[in-house]
Amino acid sequence: MKTLPQISEAEFEVMKIIWKYAPINTNEVTEHLIKTTSWSPKTIQTLLKRLVTKKAITYEKQSRIFVYSPLVREEEYINQESNTFLKRFYNGDIAAMLSAYIENDKLSPSEIDNLRSLLSNGTGKGGV
């Protein structure tokens, strides 16, 4: 498994837009993020440059417009972050994590029912 770049919370917000709309140009990224953040266009451009430097995204220059595409797949990145979280806080023990969520009322009854259904059906790529 390849190691993916470390992406900050702010960079992750930019990545979500790129994953959803790629290929996407600078102005389009800015339009989307201005709706959900208080960032200036300059801040968004800085985040895009950082993501290029980290090799999380690439760009193609079309006349004077930069068009971005992801180099990191969303599923890969989220899977890596989930595994890191699980190892860091629960020593890789998913049962301990779920138990903590249930005991602290972090999961609703419908989420628990959904988990029960997933486990009993063995759905998922690896099965159960």
Side-chain angles (χ1 to χ4, degrees), residues 113-128:
D113 288 342
N114 190 26
L115 283 171
R116 278 193 184 109
S117 175
L118 288 170
L119 291 170
S120 66
N121 293 333
T123 58
K125 294 179 181 170
V128 178

Side-chain angles (χ1 to χ4, degrees), residues 78-97:
I78 290 172
N79 189 38
Q80 175 182 279
E81 291 300 300
S82 296
N83 287 335
T84 300
F85 174 83
L86 185 61
K87 287 176 189 168
R88 182 174 178 194
F89 294 103
Y90 297 98
N91 295 321
D93 185 351
I94 195 164
M97 182 190 77

Side-chain angles (χ1 to χ4, degrees), residues 95-108 111-112 115-116:
M97 182 190 77
L98 288 171
S99 177
Y101 272 74
I102 291 167
E103 288 171 12
N104 294 307
D105 294 325
K106 300 290 183 190
L107 295 176
S108 69
E111 289 170 322
I112 293 170
L115 283 171
R116 278 193 184 109

Side-chain angles (χ1 to χ4, degrees), residues 6 9 11 17 35 44 48 51 74 80 104 107 117:
Q6 291 292 318
E9 289 293 319
E11 292 164 347
I17 299 299
K35 293 176 188 173
I44 295 166
L48 287 165
L51 288 166
E74 182 177 16
Q80 175 182 279
N104 294 307
L107 295 176
S117 175

